[in-house]
Amino acid sequence: MTFAPGKLLPDGPWQANVTLVSGFTVVSVQATVQFGTHRASLSLWARLLIILGATVIVIVLASALARRSLSRRR
Amino acid sequence: MRRLLSALILLTSTGIAVPAATAFAATSAGPPGPQRFGVRLLDVPLSEKDNPRGLRYIVDYLPPGQVIHRRILVKNEESQTARFTVYPDAAQIAGGFFTGDAGETRSELTSWITVQHPTLTVGPGQSATDMVTITEPLGATRGEHYGEIWVQQAAPARESGGVSVIERARVGIRIYLAVGPGGAPPPTNFAITSLTGLRSASGRPMIVAHVLDTGERAIDLSGQARPTDGPGGASRARTQSRRSSPSRPGRQGT
């Protein structure tokens, strides 16, 4: 079960008081939680650029190796 | 025969004021299709009258050979007469969701269910009652069985790109039926095994409660969270979660 208490909440620490209910059964717990620092995730374009760059490097290396082996044979 | 509490709750003609326990179906505007309609339970066992699950779903525990009856109310919210089909379907709980199977799938539970009026014709703004009867055979398999009573409306077939399309809308009432030797019902219990704080990719703080179903029946969770004693002694208002998060016995989920 996930709760979203509000976007402006500082990292904490906080005492989280959670009560869950299913029919007649009620369970409550309390625990210390820390929301932590948001780690910026890479955008889709950044990921695509990294993949593209890695692909280009691999192609360049492969072609360089192929040329080298051809020149040795000659 | 078990004592039943007849809990007829009048439905208003507007969707806003309809009790929360009513399930509704509606389709977007456009060509004539299924209309807006709803279904809810009318009969609840006295033992379940204060149980939010018992008011919303068919929840019961029976020894083999017993018979139970539940009336349902089907409400046509539109301005045209509508024809509905009412039928049982198999269902399962997986990944935190209670899901009715496609179409009219058979199961051991559905083979015990009969519907008094498999088809209903309801006038505009009117309602009709139907009776669901569950007859447990003597050889019923022990344990909890899941199913759904669907109320379905199908629009007339229409042509779309050379293909005949039949639009169907259905709303249902879940069934949680436990079969056992009788006496006290099997326990319903769960434990919150951990609380975790995290921030989503958009920077939104989240409190995640991990839950283990430690009982012998399925659970449907709702609840609230309140962060207190934060930096500078700050407290925040309660955050409610209305999402129903079903779980099967022995399963862990969030």
Side-chain angles (χ1 to χ4, degrees), chain A residues 1-63:
Chain A
M1 186 68 91
T2 303
F3 302 90
K7 199 164 187 175
L8 298 177
L9 215 60
D11 288 348
W14 295 84
Q15 283 296 307
N17 303 277
V18 172
T19 300
L20 297 182
V21 180
S22 177
F24 293 119
T25 310
V26 181
V27 175
S28 294
V29 294
Q30 187 183 59
T32 303
V33 297
Q34 179 102 21
F35 296 122
T37 307
H38 168 55
R39 283 177 292 177
S41 59
L42 292 173
S43 68
L44 181 63
W45 283 113
R47 289 179 193 175
L48 283 174
L49 275 175
I50 289 172
I51 292 169
L52 192 64
T55 309
V56 168
I57 289 170
V58 167
I59 291 171
V60 167
L61 283 175
S63 60

Side-chain angles (χ1 to χ4, degrees), chain B residues 1-253:
Chain B
M1 178 162 168
R2 297 162 62 92
R3 294 172 65 200
L4 294 178
L5 172 71
S6 293
L8 176 61
I9 301 173
L10 292 176
L11 298 172
T12 61
S13 58
T14 61
I16 298 168
V18 165
T22 305
F24 267 89
T27 53
S28 57
Q35 303 177 52
R36 182 176 162 82
F37 61 98
V39 60
R40 65 171 293 128
L41 266 179
L42 289 180
D43 300 317
V44 179
L46 270 179
S47 60
E48 301 289 331
K49 70 181 175 63
D50 297 319
N51 182 350
R53 291 182 75 215
L55 296 173
R56 187 181 287 260
Y57 312 129
I58 297 175
V59 181
D60 219 323
Y61 167 65
L62 299 171
Q66 291 284 307
V67 180
I68 60 170
H69 304 278
R70 294 286 186 279
R71 287 183 305 154
I72 62 172
L73 183 79
V74 179
K75 172 85 173 172
N76 177 14
E77 289 284 310
E78 289 292 334
S79 55
Q80 302 169 39
T81 297
R83 184 174 180 274
F84 303 102
T85 54
V86 185
Y87 60 90
D89 183 25
Q92 47 202 308
I93 297 174
F97 295 96
F98 187 103
T99 311
D101 287 354
E104 198 170 343
T105 305
R106 302 285 292 171
S107 69
E108 184 180 2
L109 173 60
T110 63
S111 69
W112 309 338
I113 300 174
T114 55
V115 176
Q116 186 178 18
H117 304 294
T119 59
L120 288 172
T121 301
V122 186
Q126 302 294 308
S127 11
T129 57
D130 207 339
M131 177 76 82
V132 175
T133 300
I134 304 177
T135 308
E136 270 189 29
L138 288 172
T141 305
R142 298 272 176 98
E144 194 164 42
H145 299 257
Y146 309 116
E148 192 116 28
I149 299 294
W150 289 113
V151 176
Q152 177 174 294
Q153 188 189 22
R158 60 185 167 85
E159 293 292 322
S160 176
V163 179
S164 183
V165 176
I166 298 176
E167 192 179 348
R168 290 190 171 92
R170 64 181 188 175
V171 291
I173 294 174
R174 298 178 190 175
I175 304 170
Y176 299 83
L177 187 70
V179 178
T188 300
N189 212 346
F190 64 92
I192 302 174
T193 53
S194 70
L195 287 182
T196 309
L198 56 88
R199 231 172 246 285
S200 69
S202 62
R204 192 179 183 89
M206 316 278 277
I207 298 172
V208 180
H210 299 263
V211 178
L212 177 65
D213 187 342
T214 56
E216 296 174 23
R217 316 251 340 233
I219 54 174
D220 289 283
L221 293 172
S222 60
Q224 57 186 22
R226 187 181 187 208
T228 59
D229 301 328
S235 291
R236 292 299 163 121
R238 291 180 190 279
T239 302
Q240 299 227 345
S241 181
R242 295 186 187 87
R243 188 172 71 90
S244 179
S245 182
S247 179
R248 294 180 65 184
R251 299 290 173 88
Q252 180 140 11

